[in-house]
Amino acid sequence: MTEQPEPIRIVIVGGGTAGWMTAATFARFLETGFEIDLVESDAIGTVGVGEATIPQIRLFNDALGLDEDAFLRATQGTYKLGIEFVDWLRPGHRYMHAFGTVGRDVGLLPFHQYWLRAKALGTAKDLAAYSLNTQAALAERMQRGPARTARVLPDMPSAFHFDAGLYARYLRRYSETRGINRIEGKVVRVERADNGDIGSLLLEDGTTLAADLFIDCTGFHGLLIEQTLATGYDDWTHWLPADRAMAVPSERSTAFTPYTRSTAKAAGWQWRIPLQHRTGNGIVYASEHLSDDEATATLLAGLDGEALADPRPIHFRTGKRRKMWNRNVVAIGLAGGFLEPLESTSIHLIQSAIARLMKLLPGRTVAEADRTEFNRQSDFEYERIRDFIILHYHANDRTEPFWQKCREMALPETLSAKIDLWRGNGHITREHEELFTEVGWLQVFAGQGVMPRGHHPLADAIPATDLAEFLDTIDQLNAREVAQMPSHNDFIARHCAAARSVTA
């Protein structure tokens, strides 16, 4: 009889969204040859405000085999078609960064090159007219699946708003029923092995947990990756100076708008995220320009309904660990880095780190090449998302000192190159596996008032009258499709309405 090898032991330290997303993935795909524990303490809170997502979350949920309607009911979820940016360029101005395509590409050129030419001719409408997602979001309508009225229309990709605490609870049930062992306890000491790796954890009750691989999901504290291994941190506050947030839930709105709203304020911005049972709100701000009391007053004055709790302060430093995989520790979630929630990337960064780890999952021995590749990909992803967020701050016409400082700051070379390429003749290049697509950059460039001097000469091949007709057709088809959609409220009520009594 062949002797079975000892299973590879993995310990996840910390629960919350990061810990339980990781555990659920391991439960689904590491069915044999592994022993997996998750240790967390009910006495240690989580940040738990990451309530808005981007469409990639669907890939994660689908990989786990989750039923969408059941998941939304369990998490008090609603749909999200994009993000509305209010007052970012200047007070009174707004635009939408919507998911999905804008217009329709023709021949060798992307749609926006024809739009730029039509804009120069004075025949183009705002980009919103050519985005099905934007039109549906602003009309507060929602549908799933292919377009109903015209085959040439694209699908309407969506993401979700949900209660992060309920999502973690939902994934905990999923994980535990599939063999993940949850251990209630607080880590009081971390023991190093002779080779410098993490050897074991000592819990408050005297339990010792040894493992081959440790996953650090301990949030900003970074118990293993930083407090123990002293990995170091790349601080990006010189580019993204907001360093604090206040979060507060408020009474639910009568309408679940199918988009996140971000409203610029004197020294930061305020978010609004509609859930079925409440509205999530918060303000992100720079303490150099705004006191905590002023931030709290601004936040509370901007609520749609009565606050359901006292505002909760969150302090942070935007940036990332210098290595997200150091020795036998992989940092996932806030333990690995923090990019403010402006473009709803926090949960995606958990998801992408898990996917990266699954591809490079080590055996009992960790290869240095695997660590290096994991860290290279992580660095690239964080840096490109960082650049996209900086663009929102940098391109503004506001007059407050905070915004003037953002407008005048020196930019990362990678972002400067992106802006220069666009300013020339409207070219946008997506490198490798950058998260944000050309269409995403297009909407933010245009929305923040960054416009090119020219357009691709091939766009001149279409006669002006034909170009105008082409754009009008797209606008009309979008309007016709949106008109037959149910309201977002009705869609939720029909498919995934949750019990109002469910709370995190």
Side-chain angles (χ1 to χ4, degrees):
M1 181 181 242
T2 304
E3 185 176 342
Q4 292 295 320
E6 285 290 318
I8 295 170
R9 286 191 46 76
I10 300 177
V11 171
I12 303 166
V13 186
T17 309
W20 287 111
M21 284 181 72
T22 305
T25 304
F26 289 170
R28 170 66 179 84
F29 295 105
L30 305 184
E31 297 181 75
T32 58
F34 294 85
E35 286 185 3
I36 301 164
D37 295 324
L38 183 148
V39 58
E40 65 174 344
S41 171
D42 288 335
I44 300 175
T46 60
V47 173
V49 296
E51 299 172 326
T53 58
I54 58 178
Q56 284 85 343
I57 189 67
R58 288 177 165 277
L59 300 176
F60 181 82
N61 285 355
D62 289 348
L64 297 184
L66 303 184
D67 176 83
E68 182 166 297
D69 290 344
F71 144 73
L72 287 169
R73 281 191 292 271
T75 61
Q76 295 278 1
T78 62
Y79 284 91
K80 174 183 173 181
L81 300 176
I83 306 171
E84 183 185 39
F85 290 93
V86 180
D87 299 338
W88 276 79
L89 177 58
R90 67 180 75 90
H93 180 270
R94 61 181 60 205
Y95 71 95
M96 183 81 71
H97 172 201
F99 306 135
T101 61
V102 174
R104 192 165 76 247
D105 298 347
V106 178
L108 296 174
L109 297 187
F111 169 80
H112 74 261
Q113 291 289 352
Y114 298 101
W115 176 74
L116 288 172
R117 184 193 168 210
K119 192 170 180 63
L121 293 170
T123 58
K125 293 184 177 181
D126 187 84
L127 272 178
Y130 313 112
S131 164
L132 180 60
N133 270 56
T134 299
Q135 291 302 306
L138 295 176
E140 298 184 8
R141 294 178 179 247
M142 176 62 201
Q143 70 182 13
R144 290 187 293 212
R148 270 65 165 173
T149 64
R151 285 183 297 176
V152 295
L153 283 171
D155 291 347
M156 197 169 70
S158 60
F160 310 109
H161 304 120
F162 55 68
D163 186 309
L166 293 177
Y167 188 51
R169 183 189 298 178
Y170 188 67
L171 294 181
R172 174 181 168 179
R173 289 194 297 268
Y174 177 99
S175 303
E176 290 185 306
T177 59
R178 289 164 175 80
I180 299 296
N181 179 39
R182 179 190 181 273
I183 300 171
E184 167 65 30
K186 184 177 180 181
V187 177
V188 294
R189 191 165 71 242
V190 181
E191 300 286 354
R192 303 284 293 270
D194 291 341
N195 65 357
D197 286 356
I198 302 297
S200 62
L201 312 176
L202 178 65
L203 305 188
E204 201 168 36
D205 66 357
T207 300
T208 298
L209 294 175
D212 301 292
L213 184 69
F214 291 87
I215 312 298
D216 190 339
C217 298
T218 61
F220 292 131
H221 184 55
L223 174 64
L224 305 184
I225 196 73
E226 190 62 43
Q227 300 303 312
T228 304
L229 296 183
T231 300
Y233 194 79
D234 292 329
D235 190 327
W236 289 340
T237 52
H238 54 294
W239 286 314
L240 294 167
D243 59 353
R244 295 191 183 178
M246 291 279 179
V248 66
S250 65
E251 291 180 341
R252 56 168 280 184
S253 174
T254 55
F256 311 130
T257 53
Y259 55 88
T260 306
R261 179 178 294 140
S262 168
T263 303
K265 299 295 183 180
W269 60 278
Q270 184 166 334
W271 76 75
R272 176 187 179 277
I273 299 173
L275 307 179
Q276 292 188 45
H277 62 317
R278 61 174 169 80
T279 299
N281 311 274
I283 184 168
V284 174
Y285 60 102
S287 59
E288 178 185 356
H289 296 272
L290 197 70
S291 71
D292 292 348
D293 288 344
E294 290 171 324
T296 300
T298 300
L299 171 62
L300 295 177
L303 301 182
D304 292 342
E306 185 178 345
L308 299 176
D310 293 329
R312 181 159 59 96
I314 303 168
H315 293 198
F316 58 83
R317 279 191 307 149
T318 299
K320 64 169 186 62
R321 301 289 171 207
R322 289 181 184 148
K323 295 179 182 179
M324 295 186 199
W325 187 348
N326 189 5
R327 295 190 173 275
N328 63 336
V329 174
V330 178
I332 291 179
L334 298 178
F338 180 79
L339 291 171
E340 60 172 82
L342 183 60
E343 282 284 351
S344 307
T345 54
S346 294
I347 289 176
H348 171 74
L349 286 167
I350 296 171
Q351 176 183 341
S352 62
I354 294 169
R356 197 172 296 126
L357 176 59
M358 292 299 293
K359 289 179 181 178
L360 297 168
L361 191 69
R364 207 169 306 282
T365 302
V366 179
E368 186 59 37
D370 291 339
R371 277 192 290 245
T372 300
E373 180 60 17
F374 183 96
N375 290 326
R376 185 195 67 79
Q377 292 181 23
S378 300
D379 290 348
F380 178 84
E381 181 174 47
Y382 268 76
E383 288 166 2
R384 292 307 189 271
I385 294 173
R386 173 204 66 192
D387 288 358
F388 193 62
I389 294 175
I390 292 172
L391 174 63
H392 297 65
Y393 282 100
H394 174 68
N396 77 82
D397 294 335
R398 295 183 63 104
T399 59
E400 299 93 337
F402 170 81
W403 293 99
Q404 290 178 2
K405 181 178 179 180
C406 291
R407 187 165 58 246
E408 295 166 0
M409 67 182 168
L411 299 177
E413 292 182 5
T414 45
L415 177 56
S416 291
K418 205 107 175 177
I419 294 173
D420 290 344
L421 186 64
W422 165 253
R423 283 193 185 277
N425 288 295
H427 298 304
I428 305 171
T429 299
R430 185 184 185 190
E431 288 188 66
H432 307 301
E433 295 184 358
E434 275 189 82
L435 175 59
F436 292 104
T437 65
E438 294 91 338
V439 172
W441 283 92
L442 165 67
Q443 292 175 88
V444 177
F445 274 139
Q448 298 287 153
V450 183
M451 295 302 293
R453 292 182 291 272
H455 57 266
H456 197 291
L458 288 180
D460 295 326
I462 298 181
T465 54
D466 292 348
L467 179 60
E469 183 180 348
F470 170 63
L471 295 181
D472 285 344
T473 299
I474 294 173
D475 180 18
Q476 292 165 14
L477 288 175
N478 284 339
R480 187 172 72 180
E481 182 70 14
V482 170
Q484 57 78 45
M485 296 179 188
S487 73
H488 183 223
N489 279 38
D490 288 345
F491 192 90
I492 294 289
R494 187 181 310 164
H495 296 283
C496 52
R500 291 293 302 278
S501 61
V502 177
T503 58

